[in-house]
Amino acid sequence: MTALLTAEFRKVLSLRYWWILGIAPLLVGLFCGALTLPVMRQLEDVVGEDFAEAAAAAVGISLALALVFLFAALFGVVNTGSEFQHRTVVTTFLTTRGRDRVLATKLAVVAIFGLAYCLVAEAISALTILLFGGGFSGADFGTVGAVLGTGLLCAVLWALIGAGLGLLTGSMTGSVLAICAWIPFGELIVSLVLHGIGLGAIAQYLPGQVTWYTLFSVVEMPDDVEMAVRWPVAPLVLILWTVLFCGLGWWRTRNRDFV
C-alpha cells in the first residue's frame, strides 16, 4: 500500500493541475479580507464597534472556502477522470493486485490534497485578516477557529465527491462540467423547482446547501435565527452524499470493462 501511495503522489506531482487548481482559492484568501475590510469599516459607526473585523473575516473566509470546495472537487474529478481519458488506469490495474487497492489509494490521495488546499487557503485568509484587521477578540477567534476546522472537513468531503463522480462517469470533461454547473447554478435551479412543487424541505439537504449548514451550524447564531439543518445532522448528510458518490464510483470502476 505504501508503494501505491508513493506512486500516486508522484503521478499527481508530475502534472501541473494540482497546483493550478490551488491558485484561485489561494488568491481569494490572500486578497478578500484586505479588500473587504475598508468597506466594512465605513459601516462600523452605523452597526457597532468591532463589526468591520468580524464582517471582513466572515466574507473573506467564506469566499475562500467556497472556492476551496469547488476546486477540491475539481481536483478529485481531474485526478480520477484523467486516468480514464488517457487510459492509464488500465496499466495501473494490470500492475496491481486488485482494483480495490488502487481505488482506495486514489481516494486517500485526493482527500489529502483537498485537506492541503483548505489548510493553505485558510492560513493565508486568516493571516490577511490578522494583518489588516488587527486580530480577533477571544469570542471571534473561537468562532473563526470552529468554522476553519469545519471547513477542513468539508474540503475533504468535496474532494472525495469529485473523485467519486469522476470514477462513476469515467469522463473528466463531463464531470468537470457537471461540477462547474451544479455548484453555482444547478443546485439553485433544483432548489427553486423543489420549492415550487412543495418539496422545499428536500432542497435543504442538497450537497451545496448542507455544506453551508455544516459550516454555519458551528457559529452561535442570534436567538431569532433558526437554521433548517443543524449539527450533527448537517455534516452527517454531507458525509452520506460523499459515501454515495464514492460508493457508486467504486462499484462502477470495479465492474467496468476496459477491453
Side-chain angles (χ1 to χ4, degrees):
M1 198 69 174
T2 303
L4 276 175
L5 280 171
T6 303
E8 186 66 22
F9 270 110
R10 287 177 176 173
K11 184 186 299 181
V12 172
L13 295 176
S14 66
L15 302 173
R16 291 179 293 179
Y17 69 84
W18 71 271
W19 60 264
I20 291 175
L21 290 173
I23 291 176
L26 179 62
L27 291 178
V28 170
L30 181 62
F31 292 113
C32 196
L35 293 176
T36 55
L37 193 56
V39 176
M40 297 302 175
R41 278 187 172 151
Q42 299 300 316
L43 304 175
E44 194 170 39
D45 293 336
V46 178
V47 296
E49 192 176 354
D50 295 331
F51 172 79
E53 285 79 5
V59 173
I61 292 173
S62 296
L63 287 176
L65 286 177
L67 281 183
V68 165
F69 301 155
L70 172 60
F71 281 88
L74 290 178
F75 172 83
V77 166
V78 173
N79 189 52
T80 55
S82 61
E83 291 270 28
F84 295 97
Q85 179 175 331
H86 300 293
R87 304 288 293 178
T88 55
V89 68
V90 178
T91 304
T92 305
F93 285 153
L94 289 175
T95 56
T96 308
R97 289 180 298 176
R99 298 183 181 184
D100 290 337
R101 291 162 59 88
V102 175
L103 294 174
T105 302
K106 282 194 166 297
L107 293 180
V109 170
V110 164
I112 291 171
F113 271 88
L115 181 67
Y117 279 175
C118 196
L119 275 173
V120 173
E122 286 184 351
I124 294 298
S125 182
L127 182 61
T128 303
I129 298 296
L130 289 172
L131 288 175
F132 290 90
F136 304 109
S137 66
D140 289 339
F141 184 81
T143 299
V144 171
V147 172
L148 293 180
T150 308
L152 294 175
L153 170 65
C154 294
V156 170
L157 295 179
W158 271 101
L160 291 173
I161 287 174
L165 181 62
L167 292 173
L168 178 62
T169 64
S171 169
M172 182 181 71
T173 304
S175 297
V176 167
L177 290 175
I179 289 288
C180 291
W182 176 262
I183 291 180
F185 307 113
E187 185 162 318
L188 176 61
I189 294 172
V190 172
S191 179
L192 290 174
V193 171
L194 289 173
H195 279 88
I197 61 177
L199 298 176
I202 298 177
Q204 63 198 20
Y205 296 104
L206 294 174
Q209 293 190 46
V210 83
T211 299
W212 294 110
Y213 283 129
T214 299
L215 276 176
F216 294 118
S217 62
V218 300
V219 178
E220 186 176 348
M221 295 291 183
D223 295 335
D224 58 341
V225 176
E226 181 64 30
M227 296 186 66
V229 185
R230 302 192 65 88
W231 191 280
V233 175
L236 286 176
V237 173
L238 187 58
I239 290 172
L240 287 176
W241 278 110
T242 306
V243 171
L244 175 64
F245 277 98
C246 288
L248 289 175
W250 193 304
W251 170 81
R252 182 70 182 93
T253 305
R254 289 186 82 251
N255 295 280
R256 194 186 300 271
D257 187 3
F258 293 98
V259 179

